[in-house]
Amino acid sequence: MSGASPVAPLREFVVAFGRLLDGGPDEPRILSEGRALLRTLVARDDWLPDAFAQPDPAHYQQFLLHADSTERFSVVSFVWGPGQATPVHDHTVWGLVGMLRGAEYSQGHAVGSDGRARPEGKAVRLDTGHVEAVSPTIGDLHRVHNAHAGRVSISIHVYGANIGAVRRHTYPAEGGRKPFVSGYSNTLLPNLWDRSAEFRSTTSA
Ligand SMILES: [Fe+2]
């Protein structure tokens, strides 16, 4: 689209996601229609500004890209350095994970009667363009790691809350669970709303 900002696909995604939630849909509908929206977003890899695609040598990064004004949802880019992984954790809200660049593994977990979280089922490999879902109703505990030991992978996540400020948990190997509030790696957000170029291009003689 001539004159459109490079981040236009992300703006269109957040507008469409807000419209989806406006109708107060139930979780299955959010996950199925939201999955289609996220699949469209990650089908192309030309819109994520470089500032939100930078790995850190020590830890995976989670950059907030957009938070809904009433915190109904948030959009985050997860940047995985080579071999980086999360601890086993929960979300407490629905979430969608779309693979933008590279690949990752998500290993579901369940807490046994001894209070320890253990792997459940096979790890799911997400390749570029794939979308997965998590939630307390369909399975909320997992451990995620970069499928690549030698390159960066990036996934785009959407959650049913301002996820960086949600009280949730990690599940250490010795059992039990620890309170966890993830926060974000960034203090500044991408500017989704400068649409001047697209209007200038249609009004110029
Ligand atoms: Fe997760």
Side-chain angles (χ1 to χ4, degrees):
M1 186 162 54
S2 158
S5 145
V7 296
L10 178 58
R11 183 181 63 248
E12 287 158 10
F13 174 81
V14 303
V15 168
F17 220 104
R19 286 199 180 119
L20 166 60
L21 297 181
D22 282 345
D26 58 15
E27 184 180 288
R29 194 167 151 225
I30 294 169
L31 294 183
S32 81
E33 295 188 22
R35 182 187 290 263
L37 293 172
L38 184 55
R39 200 178 280 134
T40 299
L41 182 65
V42 298
R44 56 191 283 183
D45 184 10
D46 60 355
W47 54 265
L48 182 65
D50 283 346
F52 308 99
Q54 298 302 316
D56 178 272
H59 201 266
Y60 65 90
Q61 297 288 87
Q62 40 200 331
F63 296 109
L64 178 65
L65 300 179
H66 177 77
D68 175 59
S69 60
T70 54
E71 298 178 282
R72 297 175 303 170
F73 71 102
S74 53
V75 186
V76 182
S77 67
F78 272 66
V79 182
W80 308 89
Q84 289 178 348
T86 67
V88 180
H89 63 275
D90 62 18
H91 311 85
T92 77
V93 293
W94 60 259
L96 289 160
V97 178
M99 209 69 218
L100 183 71
R101 207 173 290 176
E104 70 190 33
Y105 282 102
S106 169
Q107 172 65 65
H109 279 65
V111 177
S113 54
D114 61 357
R116 293 181 190 212
R118 287 195 180 78
E120 187 177 57
K122 263 193 87 178
V124 174
R125 181 183 165 110
L126 263 76
D127 285 298
T128 306
H130 289 186
V131 176
E132 261 293 314
V134 290
S135 91
T137 54
I138 63 170
D140 198 35
L141 270 63
H142 68 170
R143 176 181 179 273
V144 179
H145 73 274
N146 189 347
H148 296 290
R151 59 170 281 199
V152 170
S153 291
I154 300 177
S155 44
I156 305 300
H157 301 207
V158 190
Y159 299 98
N162 175 8
I163 194 67
V166 172
R167 286 189 189 87
R168 44 203 184 117
H169 311 92
T170 58
Y171 294 75
E174 64 269 23
R177 62 183 200 175
K178 286 187 174 168
F180 158 65
V181 178
S182 68
Y184 297 111
S185 306
N186 53 325
T187 54
L188 300 176
L189 271 59
N191 184 351
L192 305 187
W193 303 106
D194 184 356
R195 303 180 65 185
S196 57
E198 92 193 61
F199 289 104
R200 283 190 193 116
S201 72
T202 57
T203 54
S204 60

